[in-house]
Amino acid sequence: MSDADAPAFGVQNFGVYVHWPFCLSKCPYCDFNSHVRHAAIDEARFLRAFAREIENTAARVPGRTVTSIFLGGGTPSLMQPATVGGILDAIAERWAISPDVEVTLEANPTSVEAERFRGYRAAGVNRVSLGVQALDDAALKELGRLHTAQEALAAVAVARASFDRYSFDLIYARPRQTPQAWADELKRAISEAAEHLSLYQLTIEPDTPFFALRAAGRLAIPDDDTARALYDTTQEICVRAGLPAYEVSNHARPGAECRHNLVYWHAHEYAGIGPGAHGRLDLEGRRHATAGEKRPEAWLMRVESLGHGLVADEVLTSEERADEFLLMGLRLAEGIDPARYAALAGRTLDPARIQMLAAQGFVESDAAGCLRVTAAGFPVLDAVVADLAA
Ligand SMILES: C[S@@+](CC[C@H](N)C(=O)[O-])C[C@H]1O[C@@H](n2cnc3c(N)ncnc32)[C@H](O)[C@@H]1O
Ligand code: SF4
């Protein structure tokens, strides 16, 4: 751990991200590292490779206490509970585990997957994040999802019965969506939510079928004014329901934030395990940015021959590290400590720029000196960050 981190800037958490790269079908908007295979997946072989990469990573960063684990994808709920249990055991064999560790598994809300929830809980998972995406069957179909709204709600009910903590994701700013229709859908969703909701504005990613459809004029997504109205509707309804945004797209009751994602946004340390997983490891005071081979079978072969599947392992410069801290931290409603930025970058943020952005109403500083983006600044967050980092 470098001098730029603890103890002056509080306790450093340590997260472990494990990527399961398979899905039953590919959604037309998705550019995540997810693959469809028609033959059965050899889970035992993947489990051995995960355990090996965990062992290898722990040898590089020993002595950490794991505060959160996130099994993401792809569709991790396609794994057998025994595979999930094996991954969690492999992590516990190599690192100490915090008594209040948060263990999240991303799940698709089909009935088949919900049947595994109790098995996941028995394996050590204590939180699920469900990809509900919409509560409207026509929209679900257009998004290429394999579940109906009713099936998703049934999976949410199983999650509620199986776990103390669960969250679900919705995508808004979908084709032809109006603020009124979204308001109704969101209120319905909130009535099913407990402590946490992730609400993502549909992004048209390059190299996806949605990108090609839009380029061909066959996908009418909301224009900027409608997208802004949809965003404002989201904030109003969630604040009124006691689920304010603690991050650009994530809403929670105070204290129920996703601790694992906070590791990223606080720029703490995390291990990335599995195909295409990213990590940030602190070795001898220097931060390494790691990335795994994305193709699942190539990743397997790399791990089997080298002990790890990394294809990138770069030391970040202090400037890169400080920019990452700024970029991630300003996504949070709580904002950042400018002193930590200065310690990382070796220079302070430009006071004239802060003053200008504050005069425009986009940022503010609190009594403790934290710098944060305001409600007016969040819709133009990218521009605010670019301005501050310049
Ligand atoms: C990579 S997915 C993994 C979870 C699970 N496979 C699923 O789809 O339900 C994580 C979340 O990212 C969001 N997401 C993925 N692509 C998106 C896009 N192009 N625009 C907005 N949200 C997106 C979805 O809400 C999804 O639940
Ligand atoms: S199920 Fe999730 S990860 Fe898989 S393709 Fe769809 S959005 Fe992407």
Side-chain angles (χ1 to χ4, degrees):
M1 204 172 281
S2 76
D3 293 344
D5 299 324
F9 300 104
V11 176
Q12 291 279 305
N13 289 326
F14 179 68
V16 180
Y17 175 80
V18 182
H19 192 78
W20 183 253
F22 301 110
C23 291
L24 287 182
S25 66
K26 185 86 189 173
C27 305
Y29 54 86
C30 175
D31 78 339
F32 281 76
N33 187 33
S34 62
H35 305 261
V36 178
R37 296 286 179 266
H38 297 293
I41 310 292
D42 186 346
E43 291 193 29
R45 189 173 167 200
F46 269 93
L47 174 56
R48 282 193 297 277
F50 283 133
R52 188 123 187 248
E53 192 167 60
I54 288 164
E55 179 186 354
N56 199 284
T57 311
R60 296 184 76 193
V61 288
R64 307 295 195 264
T65 297
V66 177
T67 49
S68 62
I69 299 170
F70 196 100
L71 297 138
T75 307
S77 53
L78 296 175
M79 272 188 275
Q80 294 304 318
T83 308
V84 171
I87 294 170
L88 299 181
D89 289 347
I91 294 170
E93 214 177 295
R94 304 290 165 189
W95 285 296
I97 305 289
S98 166
D100 64 347
V101 65
E102 173 190 271
V103 184
T104 305
L105 178 128
E106 263 179 356
N108 281 18
T110 71
S111 54
V112 178
E113 288 160 284
E115 274 173 26
R116 299 192 191 108
F117 286 0
R118 286 185 191 283
Y120 294 141
R121 189 185 65 180
V125 171
N126 56 26
R127 181 177 182 276
V128 280
S129 172
L130 292 156
V132 169
Q133 318 307 2
L135 290 175
D136 173 294
D137 285 345
L140 285 167
K141 201 163 174 204
E142 192 167 23
L143 291 172
R145 303 297 296 191
L146 300 177
H147 60 267
T148 61
Q150 199 185 5
E151 206 178 359
L153 291 174
V156 169
V158 179
R160 187 183 299 125
S162 312
F163 298 96
D164 289 341
R165 300 183 64 197
Y166 69 91
S167 174
F168 57 87
D169 299 356
L170 295 175
I171 295 179
Y172 70 98
R174 305 187 308 249
R176 300 173 304 283
Q177 195 174 33
T178 62
Q180 187 53 55
W182 169 233
D184 293 343
E185 188 177 354
L186 181 56
K187 286 179 195 160
R188 171 90 181 90
I190 287 173
S191 73
E192 298 287 341
E195 53 167 34
H196 192 285
L197 270 181
S198 299
L199 304 170
Y200 299 109
Q201 197 159 334
L202 177 65
T203 312
I204 306 299
E205 305 286 357
D207 299 324
T208 60
F210 266 20
F211 191 86
L213 279 175
R214 193 175 64 164
R218 288 168 52 209
L219 187 76
I221 55 160
D223 60 24
D224 287 352
D225 288 346
T226 312
R228 179 63 197 265
L230 289 161
Y231 172 83
D232 291 343
T233 300
T234 307
Q235 307 313 312
E236 273 164 37
I237 292 176
C238 287
V239 166
R240 243 185 288 137
L243 287 162
Y246 67 97
E247 188 267 352
V248 179
S249 307
N250 284 279
H251 298 252
R253 302 201 187 287
E257 298 84 3
C258 172
R259 269 181 257 152
H260 184 80
N261 285 338
L262 284 174
V263 166
Y264 305 143
W265 297 318
H266 284 152
H268 287 176
E269 188 182 27
Y270 56 96
I273 305 294
H278 289 256
R280 293 288 183 273
L281 302 176
D282 294 329
L283 296 159
E284 293 164 5
R286 297 197 299 175
R287 174 145 286 207
H288 288 238
T290 67
E293 159 65 50
K294 288 176 96 169
R295 295 165 301 163
E297 293 75 15
W299 173 85
L300 261 184
M301 287 193 285
R302 251 186 127 78
V303 178
E304 287 167 354
S305 60
L306 301 173
H308 66 81
L310 299 185
V311 288
D313 184 357
E314 287 158 15
V315 175
L316 296 181
T317 63
S318 50
E319 196 70 18
E320 285 169 337
R321 197 172 171 187
D323 283 349
E324 201 167 89
F325 166 70
L326 192 69
L327 188 76
M328 299 306 272
L330 286 178
R331 297 177 65 91
L332 291 171
E334 69 186 30
I336 60 149
D337 179 355
R340 188 166 168 217
Y341 177 88
L344 290 169
R347 67 176 172 90
T348 56
L349 287 164
D350 181 355
R353 282 178 190 274
I354 295 179
Q355 216 170 19
M356 193 187 70
L357 288 166
Q360 291 169 323
F362 293 150
V363 300
E364 64 190 11
S365 297
D366 68 13
C370 273
L371 178 70
R372 58 173 169 246
V373 174
T374 60
F378 271 115
V380 290
L381 178 64
D382 291 350
V384 171
V385 172
D387 218 354
L388 281 173

